[in-house]
Amino acid sequence: MAISASEVPLGRVFTSDYRLSIPSFQRAYSWRPGNVRQLLDDIRSATQTPQTPYFLGSIILVHDKGNKYEVIDGQQRLVSLTIIIAALRELEDDPGVSRDLTNLLVDPGDRLRHIDAAPRLTLRERDAAFFASYVQEGNLESLFDLRDMDMETNAQRNIHDNAQAAYDTFAAMDDDERHAFASYMVNKVTLVIVSTDDLQGAHRVFDVMNMRGMPLTVSDVFKAKAVSAIDETQRDLYAMRWDEIMDPLGDDPASCEGFFRDLHLIVSRKVDCPRLIDQFLDDVLAPCIDDKSVPRFIDEVLSPYMRAWRVLERPTDTNLPPEVIAVLVALRDYPNDDWKPIAMWALVHSIRNLGDGDAVIFRPSSAHAKPRGGADGETAPDLHDVDRLLQILRATERAWGVDCLNRATSIDRRRRAAITVRDLDKGMSPSTVPGLTIDQTSARRALIRLRGEMPNDPSLPRLLLIRANEQSSGFAIARPRSLQAVRIMPEPTGKDKLEDGWTQADLEYWSDRLGNMALSQTNNTKLGQVTSFGDRRDRMLTMSASKRFPLTRQLEDIVTCTPQTLASRQQETVELIAQYWKIPYDHQDIQSALASHNQHDADESDATQTKTSRRVTIAAVLRSGLLTPGEQLEWKRPRKGELWKAEITPQGTMRLENGTEYTTPTAAARAVGGGSQGLNVWKRSDGTSLADIWKQYRMRG
């Protein structure tokens, strides 16, 4: 077995040196938007020190022949990096840069040398064509136009959602920042490529690299530095003390790094921390070493903040007051944890004995509780000023809710956290801390988001519906692990018979809005084949835990679901969320806005102040003047001898020759020809595709 290993920049990984493929026995692509955003945030932070490389770990390959390799370990990162490059290309105006980015995704081939053009990375057979067509070949507009039912596998849904996440992140940057990101990623992001010539050898390498040995954690590095600076008479004592504090965290590197990154923010007030080891040593430990206060740091900083971190991980296992536990559980609903530094600070400054090993913070039956031989010396949590603690936590939860709706970046959220901790440390009242307040513009934008379509990432509608249901019930509700936000009405297909009172346009309009969603333990995948409201309702209510949520329980009383039914649910849901987060709103304005489909247009014109991956509607393009009412489009299929025609209506739909209307080009294409790349297939007489028009509209920003 021959093994080779070398560290190479990303720009070399995606070249003709490597033609990568994912073997069929590998698991499907499973990264979600949170993973991609974290990777983007990490690289973005690393660009602040452009001469310092960013190491992205190792990938394990099996060499086939020539430049062909199978990926044994590293699929998630390679697919995600491909999506990131595709998003950069989609937003690029410079033809030269766009061409360079394309060459990272697709080998252009060489006709003279009989080399065929091919993707740099080929996915498993079931998802390969989808990935190549939509991502690598530059078809993100058509990808964004897809609905859930257009995608056959969870991997394809992940590709779709992650492409949106990457696009939205880059769309918020200016050209210079995007170019700096792209240049850094290509030249300074590195991978160690471990290559073997047989599959068994690759698996042995994988086993050795991932399952054997105990690599040093950042805690081990910091402990060695800190303890070595303590007087020799106390060194062993504080080495044991450090281990006692950190042991409950276990050996998970990600958790360990997450804790110290948050502690670094709390102590230093610095938002970015791309080089955790260097920056923590310089900003946190070095001052303690210089003034010989390392023991005090371990006792008064490391210990209480570590216990605060553990409280945030499992708040329901603690002895804290129920109202404190409830808001900590609410904070854990968020798909990000950038709120943790604020909550950690609040707990440390509200529980006097939090760092005391004898303080019984966790219930004896909890896995987080420290085993004890007896009760001697044990003390209860010494809470003081619980009202201030609740004010801080509730204000943090509200700020994160509005930021989540307004798609704030991780850097923006961590900046809010750093400013908040700084001002709280100054003794400012929670009600006067700028980081915990929401301005009118942010509140208005959040309301617009609530009224409009939800993103494909299911974590946001789940969060919003939990808030609405708890506001309705007046108390916190336990969340089953399998709880999801699911659609009440079936997805519009253009094939199934519509229920009474519904048009295709109605189904398209309500598909991704809160009024059409409810919390259930039955997921959307299981509901995919259920095409009637009654059957979906019964399936959603099968699990008794789903009935804990009043807005879900209401479905029992709905015999026939109409667009008006969903409009009423939408109004109620938006009002409940606004009440929960104390967002001021005009009741009459919401009532009239949600009763009319025309609000969809207003929502888009207000919400789309910058380029986003949000699905572009025909109505929005009509308003821009890039399409005109009555315009004719064609889909020619010469091999099948087919020609399909459609007309753009003044109402913002596509009317086929049989009179049926669809609100998206993809839905129209699917109805007549079974194709899902509607933006590419529908064209004007001059050959301009709707994908070109949609991109022109989106790039106006």
Side-chain angles (χ1 to χ4, degrees), residues 426-654:
K426 292 178 180 178
M428 292 178 63
S429 166
S431 61
T432 62
V433 171
L436 296 180
T437 59
I438 301 298
D439 59 53
Q440 289 185 346
T441 301
S442 296
R444 180 174 179 271
R445 191 181 303 123
L447 280 176
I448 291 171
R449 298 286 190 194
L450 282 172
R451 299 171 186 176
E453 291 184 349
M454 291 291 105
N456 281 283
D457 184 354
S459 61
L460 180 58
R462 179 184 185 274
L463 164 73
L464 296 173
L465 289 175
I466 288 174
R467 298 294 181 265
N469 277 275
E470 293 195 330
Q471 180 67 23
S472 177
S473 64
F475 55 84
I477 306 174
R479 296 108 159 101
R481 286 189 179 181
S482 57
L483 189 68
Q484 294 189 41
V486 299
R487 293 181 180 86
I488 295 170
M489 292 298 294
E491 279 250 58
T493 65
K495 297 178 181 178
D496 300 314
K497 181 181 178 182
L498 297 176
E499 298 204 19
D500 291 342
W502 284 90
T503 66
Q504 190 71 25
D506 289 329
L507 284 173
E508 293 280 356
Y509 176 83
W510 283 108
S511 178
D512 294 320
R513 295 174 186 270
L514 282 176
N516 187 40
M517 297 180 185
L519 292 172
S520 175
Q521 290 179 276
T522 302
N523 61 41
N524 274 312
T525 302
K526 292 182 179 178
L527 289 170
Q529 303 304 316
V530 183
T531 58
S532 73
F533 163 72
D535 291 341
R536 290 175 71 86
R537 174 200 59 207
D538 295 343
R539 185 77 63 90
M540 290 163 61
L541 294 170
T542 298
M543 305 290 284
S544 59
S546 301
K547 299 180 184 180
R548 299 175 188 169
F549 299 91
L551 297 183
T552 302
R553 194 165 57 245
Q554 287 177 2
L555 297 177
E556 291 182 310
D557 302 323
I558 300 176
V559 177
T560 302
C561 185
T562 66
Q564 292 71 34
T565 306
L566 297 190
S568 177
R569 287 181 62 86
Q570 176 95 342
Q571 176 181 323
E572 179 182 10
T573 304
V574 170
E575 289 184 7
L576 288 168
I577 295 168
Q579 291 165 12
Y580 188 98
W581 281 328
K582 297 180 174 59
I583 301 175
Y585 66 97
D586 184 280
H587 179 88
Q588 192 61 38
D589 175 59
I590 287 184
Q591 187 174 32
S592 60
L594 295 177
S596 170
H597 287 187
N598 292 333
Q599 181 60 30
H600 178 57
D601 298 341
D603 287 351
E604 290 215 341
S605 62
D606 287 340
T608 314
Q609 298 301 317
T610 59
K611 294 184 286 288
T612 73
S613 63
R614 182 173 180 165
R615 184 184 293 111
V616 173
T617 65
I618 299 171
V621 181
L622 273 174
R623 282 199 316 276
S624 73
L626 294 174
L627 281 178
T628 57
E631 191 165 351
Q632 297 291 320
L633 302 170
E634 293 182 344
W635 178 11
K636 297 179 180 178
R637 307 182 82 182
R639 292 183 180 180
K640 293 191 175 184
E642 296 176 350
L643 173 63
W644 301 102
K645 296 182 179 182
E647 177 185 348
I648 300 297
T649 72
Q651 292 74 36
T653 63
M654 289 181 65

Side-chain angles (χ1 to χ4, degrees), residues 9 36 100 156 164 188 195 209 225 269 291 294 353 406 410 422 434 467 473 495 505 572 586 604 632 692:
V36 171
D100 291 341
Q156 294 176 12
Q164 287 191 310
K188 291 298 184 179
S195 174
M209 293 179 65
K225 187 71 172 178
R269 313 288 192 270
D291 62 15
V294 171
N353 60 345
N406 291 334
S410 178
R422 179 200 66 194
R467 298 294 181 265
S473 64
K495 297 178 181 178
E572 179 182 10
D586 184 280
E604 290 215 341
Q632 297 291 320
D692 296 329

Side-chain angles (χ1 to χ4, degrees), residues 29-316:
Y29 177 61
S30 59
W31 268 26
R32 296 291 300 145
N35 304 112
V36 171
R37 291 191 190 100
Q38 186 62 59
L39 175 59
L40 289 168
D41 287 338
D42 291 345
I43 298 176
R44 194 176 185 181
S45 295
T47 62
Q48 303 304 308
T49 53
Q51 300 308 313
T52 305
Y54 178 80
F55 178 55
L56 197 54
S58 60
I59 61 175
I60 302 175
L61 310 177
V62 173
H63 188 202
D64 185 1
K65 58 183 178 180
N67 64 348
K68 295 182 179 179
Y69 295 83
E70 288 190 334
V71 179
I72 304 305
D73 182 43
Q75 174 194 188
Q76 307 298 323
R77 282 166 292 159
L78 291 171
V79 175
S80 299
L81 288 165
T82 301
I83 290 171
I84 288 169
I85 295 169
L88 282 167
R89 177 185 58 187
E90 189 73 11
L91 286 155
E92 185 52 57
D93 292 327
D94 186 318
V97 176
S98 180
R99 182 175 58 252
D100 291 341
L101 291 168
T102 295
N103 288 340
L104 293 171
L105 302 175
V106 179
D107 185 340
D110 188 326
R111 292 186 179 181
L112 294 178
R113 292 190 293 166
H114 307 289
I115 299 174
D116 295 331
R120 302 286 188 198
L121 173 67
T122 302
L123 268 59
R124 303 186 317 164
E125 184 176 356
R126 193 173 182 189
D127 303 312
F130 181 94
F131 190 64
S133 174
Y134 285 111
V135 176
Q136 292 160 310
E137 295 173 10
N139 200 10
L140 289 192
E141 280 298 340
S142 290
L143 181 65
F144 296 157
D145 199 55
L146 298 182
R147 293 193 182 277
D148 187 71
M149 62 160 299
D150 298 317
M151 296 168 276
E152 297 179 356
T153 67
N154 285 329
Q156 294 176 12
R157 295 181 183 94
N158 293 336
I159 290 166
H160 172 276
D161 297 350
N162 294 344
Q164 287 191 310
Y167 184 98
D168 290 343
T169 298
F170 293 129
M173 301 180 187
D174 59 33
D175 290 345
D176 290 341
E177 187 178 3
R178 243 188 344 263
H179 288 156
F181 184 102
S183 178
Y184 182 89
M185 185 174 70
V186 170
N187 296 295
K188 291 298 184 179
V189 172
T190 64
L191 290 160
V192 168
I193 295 182
V194 181
S195 174
T196 75
D197 53 9
D198 69 280
L199 183 59
Q200 281 189 322
H203 282 297
R204 285 199 293 273
V205 172
F206 181 85
D207 180 59
V208 170
M209 293 179 65
N210 293 278
M211 308 300 288
R212 299 184 186 176
M214 292 296 291
L216 288 176
T217 65
V218 291
S219 178
D220 297 322
V221 175
F222 298 149
K223 171 190 169 185
K225 187 71 172 178
V227 172
S228 66
I230 298 176
D231 182 86
E232 193 171 344
T233 60
Q234 292 185 298
R235 193 171 295 162
D236 289 344
L237 173 66
Y238 274 96
M240 293 175 59
R241 175 81 169 123
W242 186 293
D243 289 341
E244 181 184 50
I245 293 167
M246 296 302 302
D247 275 352
L249 193 62
D251 297 316
D252 177 32
S255 296
C256 192
E257 291 176 14
F259 166 70
F260 280 105
R261 199 176 301 277
D262 286 343
L263 186 58
H264 175 266
L265 182 147
I266 293 167
V267 175
S268 73
R269 313 288 192 270
K270 293 182 179 179
V271 178
D272 294 330
C273 189
R275 297 172 291 105
L276 176 59
I277 291 179
D278 292 341
Q279 290 179 256
F280 194 89
L281 290 174
D282 292 344
D283 299 332
V284 179
L285 286 183
C288 298
I289 293 171
D290 291 343
D291 62 15
K292 303 185 185 303
S293 62
V294 171
R296 190 168 74 232
F297 167 79
I298 294 174
D299 289 333
E300 299 178 13
V301 178
L302 185 69
S303 180
Y305 277 105
M306 182 68 253
R307 296 196 95 189
W309 171 277
R310 292 171 58 210
V311 167
L312 300 183
E313 289 294 291
R314 295 290 293 273
T316 55

